[in-house]
Amino acid sequence: LPTVEPSFGLPAVWIGEAQREQAEISGYTVVDPTSLVVTHLSEVIRRNAAELLGRQDVRALLDALKERFPAPVEELVPDLMTVGEVQRVLQTLLSEAVPIRDLVTILETLGDKAKLTKDVPILAEYCRQGLSRAICDRFVDETGTLRAITLDPEVDREIAESVARTEDGTAVTMDPARAAALVDTLAEQVEQAQAMGAAPVALCSGATRRHLKALTAHSIPQLTVLSY
């Protein structure tokens, strides 16, 4: 029976148990119902992790970390940042599926950079740099190769030059028709990458990264945007 795989939205078919061996011989990936439910639940949690992370959760994480690594916690909270500000940085990372297990690196980065800025998106970008190895390791293949959609330098520059500062931070002020055309082209590239079994990853400059992600977040949420 034709269907759509719920976790990643891929085309799939339901088959009977008796057809499993033939499907595997034919090259299909066969998943049992229990694994399907678990994967779907895991994906739902991962996609909504930013909303699920409350302030009390962050306080519990900091308290647990303080028992083993007191220095980065004591240096950061409350002198440089509040628990709420740390929460917003962690939520920003989680919103792009960046693992926050390495809290020591995150807090040490914040301890260094919070003296320079209190802008949460910028602090999150600094944390991404500190976590760069963990972020990239999720997308390299067995040969250590990272396959990505690269942005033309002129397009990269165009996005960077269209960024304007507002009362709420920064925003891309690119012509709507031009922005829509860029997103449509990226969506085509993402479809091609997924058809080849590759993770949809776009690569651009550090100055452009979060703005490109903001442009594509609603239309192509599965696209991961990395900076050089």
Side-chain angles (χ1 to χ4, degrees):
L1 299 174
T3 187
V4 175
E5 191 276 330
S7 300
F8 307 102
L10 302 174
V13 288
W14 283 109
I15 62 172
E17 182 64 34
Q19 298 169 289
R20 182 185 187 112
E21 184 177 353
Q22 182 57 49
E24 291 175 340
I25 293 173
S26 301
Y28 285 89
T29 298
V30 181
V31 183
D32 63 88
T34 303
S35 298
L36 186 70
V37 171
V38 170
T39 303
H40 190 193
L41 178 59
S42 298
E43 277 299 304
V44 170
I45 292 172
R46 186 184 65 79
R47 290 172 185 170
N48 296 279
E51 296 177 49
L52 294 172
L53 184 72
R55 196 156 298 185
Q56 190 60 46
D57 300 318
V58 175
R59 168 53 70 187
L61 288 172
L62 294 176
D63 289 344
L65 188 68
K66 189 174 180 180
E67 294 180 5
R68 297 179 294 131
F69 302 97
V73 180
E74 292 172 353
E75 179 185 358
L76 183 65
V77 180
D79 293 342
L80 295 177
M81 295 181 71
T82 65
V83 174
E85 289 170 333
V86 175
Q87 176 198 11
R88 290 197 292 278
V89 170
L90 296 179
Q91 287 177 321
T92 301
L93 294 172
L94 287 172
S95 68
E96 291 197 48
V98 174
I100 61 170
R101 297 183 187 91
D102 189 0
L103 270 180
V104 172
T105 296
I106 292 173
L107 296 189
E108 287 178 347
T109 301
L110 292 177
D112 292 335
K113 302 302 183 181
K115 302 169 186 174
L116 307 175
T117 180
K118 290 295 187 289
D119 189 310
V120 168
I122 293 177
L123 287 172
E125 289 299 305
Y126 282 131
C127 289
R128 288 181 65 98
Q129 293 171 19
L131 298 168
S132 58
R133 186 182 299 276
I135 292 173
C136 292
D137 280 350
R138 295 182 298 148
F139 303 108
V140 296
D141 61 22
E142 61 277 2
T143 66
T145 302
L146 191 153
R147 304 184 187 282
I149 303 160
T150 55
L151 216 58
D152 184 284
E154 285 301 311
V155 177
D156 201 306
R157 182 182 57 79
E158 183 182 356
I159 296 173
E161 291 179 350
S162 71
V163 175
R165 180 161 290 281
T166 68
E167 293 180 357
D168 299 321
T170 55
V172 178
T173 58
M174 183 184 290
D175 175 73
R178 174 64 176 147
L182 173 60
V183 171
D184 288 344
T185 301
L186 273 170
E188 293 175 6
Q189 295 293 321
V190 166
E191 286 184 14
Q192 290 181 27
Q194 290 179 317
M196 294 186 292
V201 175
L203 198 59
C204 62
S205 69
T208 301
R209 196 212 70 80
R210 64 189 174 101
H211 304 298
L212 180 60
K213 180 60 183 177
L215 274 176
T216 59
H218 294 294
S219 300
I220 327 172
Q222 71 273 35
L223 176 65
T224 297
V225 182
L226 303 180
S227 72
Y228 290 107

mmCIF file of all heavy atoms in Angstrom, residues 148-160 174 178 182 185-186 189 202-205 208 212 228:
data_model
loop_
_atom_site.group_PDB
_atom_site.id
_atom_site.type_symbol
_atom_site.label_atom_id
_atom_site.label_comp_id
_atom_site.label_asym_id
_atom_site.label_seq_id
_atom_site.Cartn_x
_atom_site.Cartn_y
_atom_site.Cartn_z
ATOM 1 N N ALA A 148 27.895 18.824 0.026
ATOM 2 C CA ALA A 148 27.050 19.972 0.347
ATOM 3 C C ALA A 148 26.682 20.767 -0.897
ATOM 4 O O ALA A 148 27.365 20.695 -1.932
ATOM 5 C CB ALA A 148 27.766 20.886 1.344
ATOM 6 N N ILE A 149 25.605 21.525 -0.781
ATOM 7 C CA ILE A 149 25.186 22.485 -1.798
ATOM 8 C C ILE A 149 25.914 23.791 -1.464
ATOM 9 O O ILE A 149 25.744 24.319 -0.361
ATOM 10 C CB ILE A 149 23.670 22.718 -1.745
ATOM 11 C CG1 ILE A 149 22.914 21.403 -1.913
ATOM 12 C CG2 ILE A 149 23.234 23.740 -2.780
ATOM 13 C CD1 ILE A 149 21.477 21.460 -1.415
ATOM 14 N N THR A 150 26.757 24.267 -2.369
ATOM 15 C CA THR A 150 27.503 25.493 -2.077
ATOM 16 C C THR A 150 26.812 26.704 -2.696
ATOM 17 O O THR A 150 26.182 26.604 -3.753
ATOM 18 C CB THR A 150 28.950 25.413 -2.603
ATOM 19 O OG1 THR A 150 28.920 25.115 -3.995
ATOM 20 C CG2 THR A 150 29.722 24.332 -1.867
ATOM 21 N N LEU A 151 26.954 27.829 -2.030
ATOM 22 C CA LEU A 151 26.322 29.061 -2.485
ATOM 23 C C LEU A 151 27.302 29.829 -3.372
ATOM 24 O O LEU A 151 28.479 29.962 -3.037
ATOM 25 C CB LEU A 151 25.948 29.912 -1.255
ATOM 26 C CG LEU A 151 24.653 30.710 -1.329
ATOM 27 C CD1 LEU A 151 23.474 29.783 -1.579
ATOM 28 C CD2 LEU A 151 24.443 31.496 -0.045
ATOM 29 N N ASP A 152 26.820 30.307 -4.508
ATOM 30 C CA ASP A 152 27.649 31.141 -5.370
ATOM 31 C C ASP A 152 28.132 32.362 -4.572
ATOM 32 O O ASP A 152 27.343 32.976 -3.844
ATOM 33 C CB ASP A 152 26.824 31.604 -6.568
ATOM 34 C CG ASP A 152 27.635 32.397 -7.567
ATOM 35 O OD1 ASP A 152 27.928 33.580 -7.278
ATOM 36 O OD2 ASP A 152 27.971 31.852 -8.623
ATOM 37 N N PRO A 153 29.407 32.746 -4.677
ATOM 38 C CA PRO A 153 29.918 33.889 -3.914
ATOM 39 C C PRO A 153 29.111 35.167 -4.110
ATOM 40 O O PRO A 153 28.935 35.958 -3.163
ATOM 41 C CB PRO A 153 31.353 34.052 -4.456
ATOM 42 C CG PRO A 153 31.733 32.694 -4.912
ATOM 43 C CD PRO A 153 30.472 32.082 -5.451
ATOM 44 N N GLU A 154 28.598 35.394 -5.323
ATOM 45 C CA GLU A 154 27.808 36.599 -5.573
ATOM 46 C C GLU A 154 26.484 36.555 -4.812
ATOM 47 O O GLU A 154 26.020 37.561 -4.288
ATOM 48 C CB GLU A 154 27.549 36.755 -7.079
ATOM 49 C CG GLU A 154 28.751 37.219 -7.870
ATOM 50 C CD GLU A 154 29.259 38.566 -7.383
ATOM 51 O OE1 GLU A 154 28.440 39.494 -7.229
ATOM 52 O OE2 GLU A 154 30.477 38.692 -7.137
ATOM 53 N N VAL A 155 25.868 35.364 -4.768
ATOM 54 C CA VAL A 155 24.618 35.214 -4.012
ATOM 55 C C VAL A 155 24.891 35.375 -2.521
ATOM 56 O O VAL A 155 24.124 36.013 -1.793
ATOM 57 C CB VAL A 155 23.976 33.840 -4.296
ATOM 58 C CG1 VAL A 155 22.722 33.655 -3.452
ATOM 59 C CG2 VAL A 155 23.643 33.702 -5.768
ATOM 60 N N ASP A 156 25.999 34.796 -2.071
ATOM 61 C CA ASP A 156 26.407 34.924 -0.677
ATOM 62 C C ASP A 156 26.545 36.400 -0.304
ATOM 63 O O ASP A 156 26.027 36.854 0.725
ATOM 64 C CB ASP A 156 27.744 34.194 -0.472
ATOM 65 C CG ASP A 156 27.991 33.823 0.973
ATOM 66 O OD1 ASP A 156 27.928 34.738 1.822
ATOM 67 O OD2 ASP A 156 28.263 32.645 1.271
ATOM 68 N N ARG A 157 27.254 37.150 -1.153
ATOM 69 C CA ARG A 157 27.455 38.581 -0.907
ATOM 70 C C ARG A 157 26.136 39.338 -0.945
ATOM 71 O O ARG A 157 25.897 40.239 -0.131
ATOM 72 C CB ARG A 157 28.416 39.149 -1.958
ATOM 73 C CG ARG A 157 28.735 40.635 -1.781
ATOM 74 C CD ARG A 157 29.663 41.123 -2.885
ATOM 75 N NE ARG A 157 29.096 40.880 -4.201
ATOM 76 C CZ ARG A 157 28.157 41.655 -4.743
ATOM 77 N NH1 ARG A 157 27.676 42.696 -4.087
ATOM 78 N NH2 ARG A 157 27.698 41.379 -5.951
ATOM 79 N N GLU A 158 25.240 38.948 -1.858
ATOM 80 C CA GLU A 158 23.941 39.609 -1.985
ATOM 81 C C GLU A 158 23.124 39.464 -0.694
ATOM 82 O O GLU A 158 22.502 40.424 -0.234
ATOM 83 C CB GLU A 158 23.173 38.995 -3.158
ATOM 84 C CG GLU A 158 21.839 39.644 -3.446
ATOM 85 C CD GLU A 158 21.095 38.977 -4.587
ATOM 86 O OE1 GLU A 158 21.652 38.050 -5.210
ATOM 87 O OE2 GLU A 158 19.945 39.380 -4.844
ATOM 88 N N ILE A 159 23.144 38.269 -0.122
ATOM 89 C CA ILE A 159 22.417 38.061 1.135
ATOM 90 C C ILE A 159 23.037 38.883 2.253
ATOM 91 O O ILE A 159 22.334 39.568 3.014
ATOM 92 C CB ILE A 159 22.411 36.566 1.516
ATOM 93 C CG1 ILE A 159 21.652 35.754 0.466
ATOM 94 C CG2 ILE A 159 21.789 36.365 2.896
ATOM 95 C CD1 ILE A 159 21.733 34.248 0.675
ATOM 96 N N ALA A 160 24.372 38.844 2.349
ATOM 97 C CA ALA A 160 25.060 39.576 3.417
ATOM 98 C C ALA A 160 24.777 41.072 3.336
ATOM 99 O O ALA A 160 24.572 41.738 4.371
ATOM 100 C CB ALA A 160 26.560 39.313 3.339
ATOM 101 N N MET A 174 16.100 41.420 1.511
ATOM 102 C CA MET A 174 16.188 41.110 0.083
ATOM 103 C C MET A 174 14.825 41.239 -0.591
ATOM 104 O O MET A 174 13.791 41.015 0.051
ATOM 105 C CB MET A 174 16.737 39.684 -0.085
ATOM 106 C CG MET A 174 16.945 39.253 -1.518
ATOM 107 S SD MET A 174 17.494 37.508 -1.623
ATOM 108 C CE MET A 174 19.142 37.658 -0.952
ATOM 109 N N ARG A 178 13.114 37.939 -5.362
ATOM 110 C CA ARG A 178 14.472 37.389 -5.462
ATOM 111 C C ARG A 178 14.685 36.332 -4.387
ATOM 112 O O ARG A 178 15.262 35.273 -4.644
ATOM 113 C CB ARG A 178 15.484 38.524 -5.304
ATOM 114 C CG ARG A 178 16.938 38.083 -5.233
ATOM 115 C CD ARG A 178 17.392 37.437 -6.509
ATOM 116 N NE ARG A 178 18.816 37.113 -6.451
ATOM 117 C CZ ARG A 178 19.377 36.081 -7.040
ATOM 118 N NH1 ARG A 178 18.634 35.253 -7.765
ATOM 119 N NH2 ARG A 178 20.669 35.872 -6.964
ATOM 120 N N LEU A 182 15.445 32.278 -4.876
ATOM 121 C CA LEU A 182 16.594 31.621 -4.248
ATOM 122 C C LEU A 182 16.149 30.391 -3.461
ATOM 123 O O LEU A 182 16.752 29.317 -3.560
ATOM 124 C CB LEU A 182 17.309 32.602 -3.323
ATOM 125 C CG LEU A 182 18.441 32.036 -2.458
ATOM 126 C CD1 LEU A 182 19.543 31.455 -3.336
ATOM 127 C CD2 LEU A 182 18.998 33.111 -1.542
ATOM 128 N N THR A 185 15.149 27.540 -5.813
ATOM 129 C CA THR A 185 16.323 26.867 -6.387
ATOM 130 C C THR A 185 16.959 25.937 -5.359
ATOM 131 O O THR A 185 17.344 24.803 -5.682
ATOM 132 C CB THR A 185 17.352 27.914 -6.866
ATOM 133 O OG1 THR A 185 16.740 28.758 -7.833
ATOM 134 C CG2 THR A 185 18.558 27.230 -7.496
ATOM 135 N N LEU A 186 17.067 26.410 -4.128
ATOM 136 C CA LEU A 186 17.625 25.570 -3.073
ATOM 137 C C LEU A 186 16.754 24.347 -2.827
ATOM 138 O O LEU A 186 17.268 23.250 -2.590
ATOM 139 C CB LEU A 186 17.770 26.387 -1.780
ATOM 140 C CG LEU A 186 19.071 27.167 -1.619
ATOM 141 C CD1 LEU A 186 18.974 28.113 -0.423
ATOM 142 C CD2 LEU A 186 20.257 26.232 -1.457
ATOM 143 N N GLN A 189 17.558 21.729 -5.275
ATOM 144 C CA GLN A 189 18.827 21.081 -4.955
ATOM 145 C C GLN A 189 18.669 20.107 -3.778
ATOM 146 O O GLN A 189 19.285 19.030 -3.763
ATOM 147 C CB GLN A 189 19.885 22.138 -4.611
ATOM 148 C CG GLN A 189 20.258 23.046 -5.768
ATOM 149 C CD GLN A 189 20.970 22.286 -6.873
ATOM 150 O OE1 GLN A 189 21.784 21.406 -6.608
ATOM 151 N NE2 GLN A 189 20.667 22.615 -8.115
ATOM 152 N N ALA A 202 23.654 22.891 3.088
ATOM 153 C CA ALA A 202 24.116 24.031 2.291
ATOM 154 C C ALA A 202 25.312 24.655 2.997
ATOM 155 O O ALA A 202 25.357 24.708 4.230
ATOM 156 C CB ALA A 202 23.007 25.060 2.121
ATOM 157 N N LEU A 203 26.267 25.122 2.208
ATOM 158 C CA LEU A 203 27.500 25.685 2.743
ATOM 159 C C LEU A 203 27.635 27.129 2.269
ATOM 160 O O LEU A 203 27.491 27.407 1.080
ATOM 161 C CB LEU A 203 28.693 24.845 2.259
ATOM 162 C CG LEU A 203 30.022 24.976 2.991
ATOM 163 C CD1 LEU A 203 29.885 24.607 4.458
ATOM 164 C CD2 LEU A 203 31.062 24.075 2.324
ATOM 165 N N CYS A 204 27.919 28.049 3.220
ATOM 166 C CA CYS A 204 28.050 29.463 2.868
ATOM 167 C C CYS A 204 29.022 30.134 3.837
ATOM 168 O O CYS A 204 29.603 29.480 4.702
ATOM 169 C CB CYS A 204 26.684 30.143 2.898
ATOM 170 S SG CYS A 204 25.903 30.122 4.538
ATOM 171 N N SER A 205 29.173 31.431 3.723
ATOM 172 C CA SER A 205 30.084 32.152 4.605
ATOM 173 C C SER A 205 29.488 32.298 5.997
ATOM 174 O O SER A 205 28.271 32.204 6.188
ATOM 175 C CB SER A 205 30.388 33.539 4.031
ATOM 176 O OG SER A 205 29.220 34.354 4.087
ATOM 177 N N THR A 208 26.820 34.968 6.448
ATOM 178 C CA THR A 208 25.531 34.714 5.793
ATOM 179 C C THR A 208 24.755 33.576 6.439
ATOM 180 O O THR A 208 23.531 33.511 6.316
ATOM 181 C CB THR A 208 25.783 34.379 4.299
ATOM 182 O OG1 THR A 208 26.461 35.470 3.688
ATOM 183 C CG2 THR A 208 24.489 34.114 3.554
ATOM 184 N N LEU A 212 20.729 32.893 5.890
ATOM 185 C CA LEU A 212 20.261 31.921 4.898
ATOM 186 C C LEU A 212 19.340 30.897 5.554
ATOM 187 O O LEU A 212 18.321 30.510 4.978
ATOM 188 C CB LEU A 212 21.444 31.217 4.241
ATOM 189 C CG LEU A 212 21.094 30.171 3.176
ATOM 190 C CD1 LEU A 212 20.323 30.797 2.022
ATOM 191 C CD2 LEU A 212 22.348 29.485 2.658
ATOM 192 N N TYR A 228 31.575 28.001 6.342
ATOM 193 C CA TYR A 228 32.948 27.519 6.113
ATOM 194 C C TYR A 228 33.753 27.547 7.402
ATOM 195 O O TYR A 228 34.589 26.684 7.613
ATOM 196 C CB TYR A 228 33.638 28.397 5.056
ATOM 197 C CG TYR A 228 33.073 28.216 3.678
ATOM 198 C CD1 TYR A 228 32.269 29.198 3.103
ATOM 199 C CD2 TYR A 228 33.327 27.054 2.947
ATOM 200 C CE1 TYR A 228 31.738 29.030 1.818
ATOM 201 C CE2 TYR A 228 32.798 26.881 1.673
ATOM 202 C CZ TYR A 228 32.009 27.878 1.121
ATOM 203 O OH TYR A 228 31.482 27.710 -0.133
#
